[in-house]
Amino acid sequence: MTMKHITFAGLVALLLNSATFSADAKQTENLTKARQAQLMHLLKQDCGSCHGMTLKGGLGPALLPENLEGKPALFLTNTIMYGRPGTAMPPWKEILTEQEAKWITKQLVKGVK
Ligand code: HEC
């Protein structure tokens, strides 16, 4: 493979990535019901281990709608994807896609039952 090809592939990846970034709400509708159930399980078990089983807070802060009010969705999604360096909040980008982190953000802002 020549350098030119690598650069082109990189550019395509970048474009696809920014497309994921800008296409918002609609994209989260594309997750299958099965994946949504998995994410909900992850949210309650893994996120819940720090944020509390009912997300009312623990080691991590409460993630209830009233706590997240006024915080931009992108800021919250980025916190989920990349974590907060210097705090216990770990990055989840190895197991979640941008779309999935957005979906989780949406559930949190809406309120998880
Ligand atoms: C090991 C503990 C831990 C785990 C596991 C964890 N978090 Fe966190 N999280 C934290 C801490 C601590 C903070 C606060 C960071 C700070 O001080 O800014 C935080 C912050 C956040 C915030 C920002 C809240 C705000 O008000 O700005 C969101 C959103 C969040 N976490 C979502 C999640 C989600 C979703 C998961 C699971 C995929 C998760 N967290 C798993 C510890 C954790």
Side-chain angles (χ1 to χ4, degrees):
M1 213 196 257
T2 67
M3 248 339 249
K4 205 172 166 194
H5 284 116
I6 294 167
T7 311
F8 180 69
L11 190 67
V12 169
L14 198 73
L15 287 174
L16 286 175
N17 207 26
S18 52
T20 314
F21 241 102
S22 53
D24 41 31
K26 272 234 150 117
Q27 280 238 337
T28 61
E29 314 296 320
N30 296 338
L31 293 176
T32 63
K33 288 277 172 251
R35 186 57 180 159
Q36 290 184 15
Q38 278 175 352
L39 294 178
M40 202 45 91
H41 185 80
L42 175 92
L43 186 55
K44 290 186 176 159
Q45 300 303 314
D46 297 59
C47 314
S49 70
C50 279
H51 292 279
M53 286 288 271
T54 51
L55 303 174
K56 288 195 182 109
L59 170 63
L63 299 178
L64 302 174
E66 56 264 40
N67 307 110
L68 302 177
E69 212 185 320
K71 295 182 181 171
L74 186 60
F75 166 77
L76 298 172
T77 299
N78 282 345
T79 299
I80 297 169
M81 288 299 275
Y82 305 107
R84 292 250 173 99
T87 77
M89 177 62 187
W92 295 88
K93 62 181 183 331
E94 303 303 329
I95 53 168
L96 298 176
T97 64
E98 185 77 31
Q99 183 191 4
E100 291 168 347
K102 273 183 183 162
W103 184 84
I104 290 176
T105 299
K106 206 166 132 188
Q107 306 314 305
L108 290 173
V109 168
K110 198 165 75 176
V112 175
K113 272 158 251 126

